[in-house]
PDB file of all heavy atoms in Angstrom:
ATOM      1  N   PRO A 489       0.090-107.006 -34.674  1.00 74.00           N
ATOM      2  CA  PRO A 489      -0.677-108.127 -35.243  1.00 74.00           C
ATOM      3  C   PRO A 489      -1.194-107.897 -36.653  1.00 74.00           C
ATOM      4  O   PRO A 489      -1.959-108.702 -37.151  1.00 74.00           O
ATOM      5  CB  PRO A 489      -1.854-108.245 -34.261  1.00 74.00           C
ATOM      6  CG  PRO A 489      -2.083-106.849 -33.808  1.00 74.00           C
ATOM      7  CD  PRO A 489      -0.713-106.220 -33.710  1.00 74.00           C
ATOM      8  N   PHE A 490      -0.773-106.812 -37.310  1.00 78.00           N
ATOM      9  CA  PHE A 490      -1.408-106.455 -38.573  1.00 78.00           C
ATOM     10  C   PHE A 490      -0.790-107.141 -39.783  1.00 78.00           C
ATOM     11  O   PHE A 490      -1.451-107.307 -40.807  1.00 78.00           O
ATOM     12  CB  PHE A 490      -1.343-104.940 -38.774  1.00 78.00           C
ATOM     13  CG  PHE A 490      -1.722-104.151 -37.554  1.00 78.00           C
ATOM     14  CD1 PHE A 490      -0.877-103.191 -37.039  1.00 78.00           C
ATOM     15  CD2 PHE A 490      -2.922-104.389 -36.910  1.00 78.00           C
ATOM     16  CE1 PHE A 490      -1.221-102.467 -35.919  1.00 78.00           C
ATOM     17  CE2 PHE A 490      -3.282-103.663 -35.786  1.00 78.00           C
ATOM     18  CZ  PHE A 490      -2.426-102.705 -35.285  1.00 78.00           C
ATOM     19  N   ASP A 491       0.497-107.498 -39.693  1.00 81.00           N
ATOM     20  CA  ASP A 491       1.212-108.044 -40.850  1.00 81.00           C
ATOM     21  C   ASP A 491       1.984-109.282 -40.414  1.00 81.00           C
ATOM     22  O   ASP A 491       3.213-109.272 -40.325  1.00 81.00           O
ATOM     23  CB  ASP A 491       2.161-106.977 -41.417  1.00 81.00           C
ATOM     24  CG  ASP A 491       2.859-107.432 -42.691  1.00 81.00           C
ATOM     25  OD1 ASP A 491       2.283-108.270 -43.409  1.00 81.00           O
ATOM     26  OD2 ASP A 491       3.971-106.949 -42.958  1.00 81.00           O
ATOM     27  N   PRO A 492       1.285-110.388 -40.136  1.00 81.00           N
ATOM     28  CA  PRO A 492       1.917-111.565 -39.532  1.00 81.00           C
ATOM     29  C   PRO A 492       2.801-112.328 -40.505  1.00 81.00           C
ATOM     30  O   PRO A 492       2.563-112.342 -41.710  1.00 81.00           O
ATOM     31  CB  PRO A 492       0.721-112.425 -39.112  1.00 81.00           C
ATOM     32  CG  PRO A 492      -0.311-112.080 -40.130  1.00 81.00           C
ATOM     33  CD  PRO A 492      -0.143-110.616 -40.397  1.00 81.00           C
ATOM     34  N   SER A 493       3.826-112.957 -39.976  1.00 79.00           N
ATOM     35  CA  SER A 493       4.710-113.779 -40.797  1.00 79.00           C
ATOM     36  C   SER A 493       4.405-115.265 -40.668  1.00 79.00           C
ATOM     37  O   SER A 493       4.960-116.072 -41.408  1.00 79.00           O
ATOM     38  CB  SER A 493       6.173-113.537 -40.404  1.00 79.00           C
ATOM     39  OG  SER A 493       6.381-113.845 -39.036  1.00 79.00           O
ATOM     40  N   GLN A 494       3.534-115.631 -39.717  1.00 77.00           N
ATOM     41  CA  GLN A 494       3.149-117.023 -39.534  1.00 77.00           C
ATOM     42  C   GLN A 494       1.661-117.100 -39.229  1.00 77.00           C
ATOM     43  O   GLN A 494       1.126-116.276 -38.489  1.00 77.00           O
ATOM     44  CB  GLN A 494       3.923-117.664 -38.375  1.00 77.00           C
ATOM     45  CG  GLN A 494       5.426-117.747 -38.604  1.00 77.00           C
ATOM     46  CD  GLN A 494       6.117-118.460 -37.466  1.00 77.00           C
ATOM     47  OE1 GLN A 494       5.632-119.481 -36.993  1.00 77.00           O
ATOM     48  NE2 GLN A 494       7.241-117.923 -37.024  1.00 77.00           N
ATOM     49  N   VAL A 495       1.016-118.088 -39.795  1.00 73.00           N
ATOM     50  CA  VAL A 495      -0.418-118.256 -39.563  1.00 73.00           C
ATOM     51  C   VAL A 495      -0.703-118.504 -38.099  1.00 73.00           C
ATOM     52  O   VAL A 495      -1.618-117.926 -37.517  1.00 73.00           O
ATOM     53  CB  VAL A 495      -0.961-119.424 -40.420  1.00 73.00           C
ATOM     54  CG1 VAL A 495      -2.412-119.710 -40.068  1.00 73.00           C
ATOM     55  CG2 VAL A 495      -0.811-119.112 -41.897  1.00 73.00           C
ATOM     56  N   GLU A 496       0.101-119.349 -37.440  1.00 59.00           N
ATOM     57  CA  GLU A 496      -0.149-119.689 -36.049  1.00 59.00           C
ATOM     58  C   GLU A 496      -0.056-118.457 -35.159  1.00 59.00           C
ATOM     59  O   GLU A 496      -0.896-118.234 -34.303  1.00 59.00           O
ATOM     60  CB  GLU A 496       0.836-120.749 -35.568  1.00 59.00           C
ATOM     61  CG  GLU A 496       0.656-122.115 -36.204  1.00 59.00           C
ATOM     62  CD  GLU A 496       1.246-122.177 -37.609  1.00 59.00           C
ATOM     63  OE1 GLU A 496       1.955-121.240 -37.988  1.00 59.00           O
ATOM     64  OE2 GLU A 496       0.980-123.174 -38.307  1.00 59.00           O
ATOM     65  N   ASP A 497       0.977-117.625 -35.396  1.00 48.00           N
ATOM     66  CA  ASP A 497       1.120-116.419 -34.598  1.00 48.00           C
ATOM     67  C   ASP A 497      -0.070-115.487 -34.798  1.00 48.00           C
ATOM     68  O   ASP A 497      -0.567-114.867 -33.869  1.00 48.00           O
ATOM     69  CB  ASP A 497       2.408-115.681 -34.984  1.00 48.00           C
ATOM     70  CG  ASP A 497       3.636-116.419 -34.485  1.00 48.00           C
ATOM     71  OD1 ASP A 497       3.482-117.368 -33.706  1.00 48.00           O
ATOM     72  OD2 ASP A 497       4.739-116.026 -34.890  1.00 48.00           O
ATOM     73  N   PHE A 498      -0.525-115.410 -36.025  1.00 42.00           N
ATOM     74  CA  PHE A 498      -1.626-114.498 -36.313  1.00 42.00           C
ATOM     75  C   PHE A 498      -2.925-114.984 -35.685  1.00 42.00           C
ATOM     76  O   PHE A 498      -3.716-114.210 -35.185  1.00 42.00           O
ATOM     77  CB  PHE A 498      -1.786-114.379 -37.826  1.00 42.00           C
ATOM     78  CG  PHE A 498      -2.585-113.169 -38.240  1.00 42.00           C
ATOM     79  CD1 PHE A 498      -2.440-111.970 -37.574  1.00 42.00           C
ATOM     80  CD2 PHE A 498      -3.466-113.244 -39.298  1.00 42.00           C
ATOM     81  CE1 PHE A 498      -3.152-110.848 -37.968  1.00 42.00           C
ATOM     82  CE2 PHE A 498      -4.172-112.134 -39.699  1.00 42.00           C
ATOM     83  CZ  PHE A 498      -4.022-110.930 -39.043  1.00 42.00           C
ATOM     84  N   ASP A 499      -3.160-116.300 -35.714  1.00 42.00           N
ATOM     85  CA  ASP A 499      -4.370-116.819 -35.108  1.00 42.00           C
ATOM     86  C   ASP A 499      -4.403-116.502 -33.613  1.00 42.00           C
ATOM     87  O   ASP A 499      -5.445-116.211 -33.047  1.00 42.00           O
ATOM     88  CB  ASP A 499      -4.484-118.328 -35.323  1.00 42.00           C
ATOM     89  CG  ASP A 499      -4.829-118.653 -36.766  1.00 42.00           C
ATOM     90  OD1 ASP A 499      -5.345-117.760 -37.440  1.00 42.00           O
ATOM     91  OD2 ASP A 499      -4.571-119.790 -37.199  1.00 42.00           O
ATOM     92  N   GLU A 500      -3.260-116.565 -32.970  1.00 41.00           N
ATOM     93  CA  GLU A 500      -3.205-116.242 -31.545  1.00 41.00           C
ATOM     94  C   GLU A 500      -3.480-114.763 -31.320  1.00 41.00           C
ATOM     95  O   GLU A 500      -4.213-114.376 -30.417  1.00 41.00           O
ATOM     96  CB  GLU A 500      -1.830-116.621 -30.992  1.00 41.00           C
ATOM     97  CG  GLU A 500      -1.676-116.349 -29.505  1.00 41.00           C
ATOM     98  CD  GLU A 500      -0.305-116.748 -29.002  1.00 41.00           C
ATOM     99  OE1 GLU A 500       0.420-117.442 -29.747  1.00 41.00           O
ATOM    100  OE2 GLU A 500       0.030-116.362 -27.881  1.00 41.00           O
ATOM    101  N   GLU A 501      -2.909-113.915 -32.179  1.00 43.00           N
ATOM    102  CA  GLU A 501      -3.093-112.475 -32.048  1.00 43.00           C
ATOM    103  C   GLU A 501      -4.504-112.044 -32.447  1.00 43.00           C
ATOM    104  O   GLU A 501      -4.948-110.952 -32.112  1.00 43.00           O
ATOM    105  CB  GLU A 501      -2.072-111.741 -32.925  1.00 43.00           C
ATOM    106  CG  GLU A 501      -0.641-111.817 -32.442  1.00 43.00           C
ATOM    107  CD  GLU A 501      -0.411-110.937 -31.222  1.00 43.00           C
ATOM    108  OE1 GLU A 501      -1.307-110.136 -30.880  1.00 43.00           O
ATOM    109  OE2 GLU A 501       0.653-111.068 -30.605  1.00 43.00           O
ATOM    110  N   ALA A 502      -5.194-112.904 -33.217  1.00 42.00           N
ATOM    111  CA  ALA A 502      -6.511-112.526 -33.717  1.00 42.00           C
ATOM    112  C   ALA A 502      -7.509-112.296 -32.600  1.00 42.00           C
ATOM    113  O   ALA A 502      -8.580-111.745 -32.838  1.00 42.00           O
ATOM    114  CB  ALA A 502      -7.039-113.596 -34.667  1.00 42.00           C
ATOM    115  N   LYS A 503      -7.185-112.698 -31.389  1.00 39.00           N
ATOM    116  CA  LYS A 503      -8.074-112.453 -30.252  1.00 39.00           C
ATOM    117  C   LYS A 503      -8.219-110.951 -29.996  1.00 39.00           C
ATOM    118  O   LYS A 503      -9.177-110.500 -29.384  1.00 39.00           O
ATOM    119  CB  LYS A 503      -7.539-113.155 -29.008  1.00 39.00           C
ATOM    120  CG  LYS A 503      -7.472-114.676 -29.149  1.00 39.00           C
ATOM    121  CD  LYS A 503      -6.815-115.314 -27.940  1.00 39.00           C
ATOM    122  CE  LYS A 503      -6.666-116.820 -28.120  1.00 39.00           C
ATOM    123  NZ  LYS A 503      -5.960-117.451 -26.989  1.00 39.00           N
TER     124      LYS A 503
END
Side-chain angles (χ1 to χ4, degrees):
F490 314 126
D491 185 27
S493 59
Q494 296 183 43
V495 174
E496 292 78 11
D497 288 350
F498 198 38
D499 287 339
E500 181 180 348
E501 289 286 350
K503 298 175 184 177

